[in-house]
Amino acid sequence: MENIMLPQAHKILKVLRETQAEYTFRVAYDRPTAYNQFFQLSIPKIGEAPISISGRGVGYLEFTIRKTGRLTNGIFGLGPNDTLFMRGPYGNSFPVADFEGKDLVVICGGTGMAPLKTILNHFYDHPAIARSVHLITGFKDVNAVLFSDELAKFAQKFHTIYCLDNMEAPGFHQGFVTQYIKEIPFADFADYNVAIVGPPVMMGLAAQECLANGAQEDKIWVSFERRMSCGVGKCGHCKINGTYVCLDGPVFNYTKAKNLFD
């Protein structure tokens, strides 16, 4: 029987610098994964952390990682042909099959775009399977912008609003993502879904703004990208009330998520 808690060694194929603080690591991997699942990435004797998949292709997965502590400092010291240990995949996924044939709204902040990027690429590569895609994403400033090439690509097919918290720049509005949700034509949608990923405060405010502009609770989905430790519901670190985020999530419909925000 496979030990789901045992990390496996995987070869780093490529390292992409996104910003000064965020790198994307492309790692050899050839087994199936679902949208927004996460892995526990680790370096022996240093530690491990849950990181969502930010990209995938034939024979590889990508993880976009922010340099924030001892483990990520260690990972940032790795390069192509080095070994990264992984266990997973864990967690559920966005119901992407149910998103097809409908209008889709994606709202994300900062690194919150990373776990949604595979979904965005799915609809970019298959434009006929959605009525429309509206993308609102925000970053702190121009130095924090992630996935510049893909932002430009998405703008070719999607309805996009890109913003920066405290400054203007070519191609970007000034302000927070919540300020631009009023531009989403919820009243014109026959059927739709909303996917929101970002810091908890941002997700809560974005969901409330969607509701204020006519969205229905059961059409909104969020992903909790923190607190998970063991990944299998044993340690209890991610437990909120009676819900284990790593097992029952990290993706939740807002009808349940509204009682999980803390």
Side-chain angles (χ1 to χ4, degrees), residues 33-106:
T33 59
Y35 296 101
N36 203 62
Q37 285 192 297
F38 68 95
F39 281 76
Q40 291 283 354
L41 307 187
S42 63
I43 298 177
K45 299 182 180 181
I46 294 181
E48 67 176 6
I51 307 292
S52 294
I53 299 165
S54 64
R56 58 186 184 182
V58 178
Y60 72 84
L61 295 176
E62 291 181 342
F63 300 91
T64 300
I65 301 172
R66 173 176 288 173
K67 190 176 184 180
T68 58
R70 186 182 178 202
L71 173 65
T72 52
N73 287 344
I75 293 176
F76 271 49
L78 302 177
N81 298 316
D82 286 336
T83 297
L84 183 62
F85 286 82
M86 300 163 41
R87 58 183 177 89
Y90 300 124
N92 63 359
S93 64
F94 284 100
V96 174
D98 187 58
F99 292 174
E100 296 180 2
K102 303 173 183 177
D103 296 285
L104 175 63
V105 177
V106 175

Side-chain angles (χ1 to χ4, degrees), residues 47-217:
E48 67 176 6
I51 307 292
S52 294
I53 299 165
S54 64
R56 58 186 184 182
V58 178
Y60 72 84
L61 295 176
E62 291 181 342
F63 300 91
T64 300
I65 301 172
R66 173 176 288 173
K67 190 176 184 180
T68 58
R70 186 182 178 202
L71 173 65
T72 52
N73 287 344
I75 293 176
F76 271 49
L78 302 177
N81 298 316
D82 286 336
T83 297
L84 183 62
F85 286 82
M86 300 163 41
R87 58 183 177 89
Y90 300 124
N92 63 359
S93 64
F94 284 100
V96 174
D98 187 58
F99 292 174
E100 296 180 2
K102 303 173 183 177
D103 296 285
L104 175 63
V105 177
V106 175
I107 304 169
C108 41
T111 54
M113 187 177 175
L116 289 168
K117 191 160 67 70
T118 54
I119 297 175
L120 290 165
N121 275 312
H122 174 68
F123 286 95
Y124 180 89
D125 293 337
H126 306 91
I129 63 175
R131 290 197 185 107
S132 70
V133 177
H134 292 256
L135 168 62
I136 304 176
T137 188
F139 303 94
K140 181 179 179 181
D141 53 42
V142 290
N143 296 319
V145 174
L146 295 170
F147 316 123
S148 296
D149 290 344
E150 283 170 299
L151 291 178
K153 181 181 76 173
F154 294 150
Q156 297 172 10
K157 294 184 181 179
F158 302 159
H159 303 278
T160 57
I161 298 174
Y162 303 148
C163 49
L164 304 172
D165 291 353
N166 300 308
M167 64 183 298
E168 291 184 351
F172 291 88
H173 299 277
Q174 181 177 354
F176 299 106
V177 295
T178 50
Q179 296 173 230
Y180 298 96
I181 291 174
K182 62 180 179 293
E183 298 188 23
I184 302 298
F186 288 109
D188 297 337
F189 296 158
D191 201 356
Y192 62 92
N193 285 280
V194 182
I196 307 173
V197 182
V201 171
M202 170 264 169
M203 289 196 296
L205 293 174
Q208 288 297 314
E209 192 66 22
C210 287
L211 295 173
N213 283 275
Q216 298 172 265
E217 282 190 356

